[in-house]
């Protein structure tokens, strides 16, 4: 039931725990999403250390079916999983 899911989403607030996230994070949102407004998603991304935010203009809540979304997630994951070059001492 969509109404039950929406009520649960509105009652579930974990903003106070976002700063503890240490994994690479990609926060995505359709700029026209009626459930998660872009300003709220921007605040969410800002609260996660090092998070990357991608807003899709003229898109709503169904961005996961968008080809560009898949391309962006793939690129993010590829970058997050690539090993970093070892530091060299001088």
């Amino acid at each position: 039931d969509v109404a039950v899911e929406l009520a649960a989403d509105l009652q579930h607030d974990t903003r106070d725990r976002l700063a503890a996230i240490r994994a690479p994070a990609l926060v995505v949102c359709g700029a026209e999403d009626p459930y998660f407004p872009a300003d709220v998603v921007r605040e969410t991304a800002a609260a996660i250390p090092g998070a990357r935010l991608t807003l899709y203009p003229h898109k709503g809540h169904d961005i996961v079916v968008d080809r560009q979304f898949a391309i962006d997630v793939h690129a993010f994951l590829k970058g997050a999983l690539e090993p970093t070059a070892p530091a060299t001492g001088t």
Side-chain angles (χ1 to χ4, degrees):
D1 184 352
V2 174
V4 172
E5 183 180 335
L6 183 56
D9 286 344
L10 294 173
Q11 293 173 12
H12 187 77
D13 186 353
T14 57
R15 288 177 288 181
D16 61 331
R17 299 184 341 197
L18 294 175
I21 295 173
R22 296 293 177 249
L26 174 62
V27 179
V28 297
C29 181
E32 309 294 324
D33 190 325
Y35 303 107
F36 300 98
D39 57 338
V40 172
V41 176
R42 282 187 190 97
E43 291 174 11
T44 300
I48 301 171
R52 181 173 144 204
L53 172 65
T54 301
L55 284 176
Y56 295 88
H58 314 294
K59 298 290 180 180
H61 193 68
D62 61 348
I63 59 168
V64 297
V65 299
D66 190 275
R67 184 173 192 279
Q68 188 60 50
F69 171 82
I71 291 168
D72 293 344
V73 169
H74 180 266
F76 174 79
L77 292 173
K78 184 178 177 187
L81 296 174
E82 288 179 352
T84 57
T88 57
T90 56

